[in-house]
Amino acid sequence: MEIGFVGLGKMGANMVRRLVQGGHQVNVFDRSANVAQDLQKEGAKARASLQELVSALPSPRVVWMMIPAGPPVDETIEQIRPHLKAGDILIDGGNTRFTDSIERSKRLAAHGILFVDAGTSGGIWGLKNGYCLMVGGEKQAIQTLEPVLKTLAPANGYIHAGPSGAGHYVKMVHNGIEYGMMQAYAEGFDMMKASRYQFDLPAIANLWNQGSVVRSWLLELAARALTEDPNLDGLKGYVEDSGEGRWTVEESIQLSVPTPVITASLQARFSSRRENTFSNKFLSALRNQFGGHAVKK
């Protein structure tokens, strides 16, 4: 199948490589021409502009975007849309809020363009292992995309989750769960690190993946990270969030569905970015005021 691919970051570039290795013809564009040229050496076709990329594709044109969520997606859509025709398919594989995908689908439908939201999980390991794909949109578009989905995903690794927004909704919840799992692992290993014992943490992480009920790919990655740097001295404890944890919590509020673990894990990430906060100084001041407790200057 021939496809256009826009956005060649770590995920996007490896997805292109997997498609090329799977026998697909992939036309690529990125604001950084050097990245596109590098992929051309590996079998992709570098295009100098979005217009050139779309023009090179057979009908129905299929363009997959791996663009940061928010305005960059809308800007890219507005640049591509004039060059698309009714029946063409545009896919957003980034971490986009599902409500934005619903609105974009409606806008593009007015021009007869099919929009697909594809929640994509797999990180930098997807090239080797495949990408878990959670796809939303019209059945007609998904059927056209099936050869690409089968190549990108491992066996049984993609699902048509439902209409527009459904793919990004499932990916949002997926990432919310991921936040909670990561936080639980972090707290448990923190306890073992602070305990009276001199635990071999990489060995324990590896052990727990041998039949334990808490085994997971995240734990495999934890074992890898701890083996490379047992005390994690090379890192600062500053944890970003991509937005999907926030959207999960906001949606849980709208639905009145309690998500205490996911919410607490998101708040822990906020806390990681602040040092000597006013709130903690406030608590210290209050303890000193009511009980005369010692404070650290």
Side-chain angles (χ1 to χ4, degrees):
M1 182 175 180
E2 188 161 6
I3 185 173
F5 214 98
V6 180
L8 306 174
K10 290 180 180 178
M11 284 273 283
N14 276 347
M15 292 172 77
V16 168
R17 291 185 178 100
R18 189 170 173 92
L19 288 171
V20 169
Q21 292 170 12
H24 298 275
Q25 298 180 56
V26 189
N27 297 268
V28 298
F29 172 79
D30 191 90
R31 290 180 300 175
S32 173
N34 291 338
V35 179
Q37 290 298 327
D38 287 343
L39 284 172
Q40 182 160 274
K41 297 174 185 176
E42 300 181 45
K45 298 177 182 178
R47 303 300 179 183
S49 67
L50 289 171
Q51 181 177 358
E52 181 182 325
L53 179 141
V54 175
S55 298
L57 297 172
S59 184
R61 299 172 181 86
V62 177
V63 180
W64 190 303
M65 301 180 295
M66 289 300 289
I67 306 292
V73 177
D74 288 312
E75 292 166 7
T76 303
I77 289 174
E78 287 310 304
Q79 292 175 51
I80 293 177
R81 186 191 55 75
H83 310 296
L84 297 176
K85 297 180 180 179
D88 290 345
I89 302 171
L90 188 58
I91 306 108
D92 178 8
N95 287 333
T96 289
R97 188 164 188 160
F98 76 97
T99 49
D100 291 341
S101 293
I102 294 171
E103 291 304 313
R104 288 164 184 155
S105 178
K106 290 177 181 177
R107 292 202 306 269
L108 289 166
H111 302 277
I113 299 166
L114 300 169
F115 183 78
V116 172
D117 50 287
T120 307
S121 181
I124 59 175
W125 300 89
L127 173 59
K128 176 183 177 182
N129 301 327
Y131 299 89
C132 179
L133 299 170
M134 298 142 268
V135 184
E138 293 187 25
K139 186 176 181 180
Q140 172 190 347
I142 308 306
Q143 288 176 335
T144 301
L145 279 176
E146 195 167 48
V148 166
L149 299 176
K150 285 184 174 180
T151 298
L152 287 173
N156 301 313
Y158 77 91
I159 189 171
H160 182 195
S164 293
H168 279 149
Y169 192 102
V170 174
K171 179 57 163 49
M172 174 187 74
V173 176
H174 165 282
N175 278 32
I177 293 170
E178 178 186 294
Y179 277 38
M181 291 174 65
M182 291 173 67
Q183 185 65 31
Y185 283 137
E187 292 173 8
F189 278 89
D190 194 15
M191 282 185 63
M192 289 188 287
K193 179 69 175 173
S195 77
R196 70 191 72 186
Y197 302 106
Q198 298 297 313
F199 287 122
D200 184 337
L201 297 183
I204 291 172
N206 182 65
L207 170 71
W208 285 352
N209 266 320
Q210 315 310 314
S212 163
V213 295
V214 298
R215 65 187 181 274
S216 74
W217 184 51
L218 284 174
L219 200 54
E220 290 180 27
L221 297 177
R224 177 187 175 94
L226 290 167
T227 299
E228 293 173 351
D229 185 358
N231 294 315
L232 303 180
D233 292 326
L235 299 175
K236 186 175 181 180
Y238 184 104
V239 188
E240 270 292 3
D241 69 284
S242 63
E244 291 183 306
R246 300 181 187 219
W247 305 335
T248 304
V249 172
E250 290 169 4
E251 178 71 0
S252 77
I253 293 169
Q254 292 297 318
L255 297 173
S256 297
V257 173
T259 55
V261 172
I262 295 173
T263 302
S265 66
L266 175 64
Q267 296 292 337
R269 294 194 179 197
F270 296 159
S271 180
S272 77
R273 303 169 204 166
R274 307 179 70 194
E275 296 179 2
N276 198 28
T277 63
F278 183 81
S279 62
N280 286 339
K281 289 189 284 187
F282 190 91
L283 290 172
S284 182
L286 281 181
R287 291 185 76 249
N288 178 256
Q289 288 292 325
F290 71 67
H293 299 292
V295 296
K296 292 186 177 181
K297 299 292 187 179

